[in-house]
Amino acid sequence: MLMRTDPFREFDRLTQQVFGTQSRPAGMPMEAYRSGDEFVIHFDLPGVAPETIDLDVERNVLTVHAERRSPAPEDAELIAAERPSGRFSRQLFLGDTLDSERIDASYDSGVLTLRIPVAEQAKPRKIEISGGTSGAKQISG
């Protein structure tokens, strides 16, 4: 199971309501789903150089850090600046049923894709029952 948390979400929502502005940009939208024996997570990171992306796993917490730099020179006069830039991070809490030792990460066309396999001990298995006159029987567990 995959769980998501953002401890500052309510604070941001309240700030946005009070001041009518967004207090920090939503720079890392994601999509997550289960496909067979793995969880797949896609993060939208357009304009982010692959070398600025860091992934860390500590216990069951996966942290993604990325940095988007403005392409404008420092001495340029900005006319409009609607694209968020700076350092972004996102944390996901991974359930015990996921194998955080075998995470596969790829980055293509501005999308970071993580594939996290379901742990072997969490997969369904057959259990053999012995005894009785009819011999052994298998029951799905």
Side-chain angles (χ1 to χ4, degrees):
M1 180 199 278
L2 183 68
M3 296 177 285
R4 182 184 90 145
T5 186
D6 184 354
F8 300 104
R9 172 176 248 148
E10 283 302 308
F11 180 73
D12 286 347
R13 186 186 60 75
L14 182 62
T15 303
Q16 188 174 5
Q17 286 178 346
V18 172
F19 297 110
T21 61
Q22 191 164 337
S23 61
R24 67 184 174 119
M28 205 180 295
M30 73 165 207
E31 180 176 81
Y33 55 89
R34 182 173 179 166
S35 178
D37 286 338
E38 69 180 1
F39 277 85
V40 181
I41 307 165
H42 300 285
F43 293 95
D44 285 346
L45 297 171
V48 171
E51 61 271 7
T52 69
I53 301 172
D54 291 317
L55 296 173
D56 297 311
V57 177
E58 185 174 340
R59 296 188 186 208
N60 66 336
V61 179
L62 170 74
T63 305
V64 181
H65 296 283
E67 184 175 357
R68 182 181 304 119
R69 297 180 182 109
S70 174
E74 286 190 30
D75 61 343
E77 178 185 352
L78 284 176
I79 307 302
E82 295 178 358
R83 297 173 59 206
S85 62
R87 190 131 173 94
F88 306 97
S89 65
R90 187 92 184 244
Q91 287 188 326
L92 298 175
F93 291 89
L94 306 177
D96 294 334
T97 61
L98 299 179
D99 188 351
S100 62
E101 298 291 321
R102 296 182 19 221
I103 296 175
D104 178 59
S106 62
Y107 184 67
D108 184 42
S109 300
V111 178
L112 173 65
T113 300
L114 305 180
R115 296 181 181 282
I116 308 171
V118 173
E120 286 299 321
Q121 65 268 23
K123 292 181 182 176
R125 62 189 187 283
K126 300 273 185 193
I127 300 172
E128 236 181 84
I129 298 176
S130 60
T133 58
S134 61
K137 182 178 181 181
Q138 288 195 353
I139 297 177
S140 296

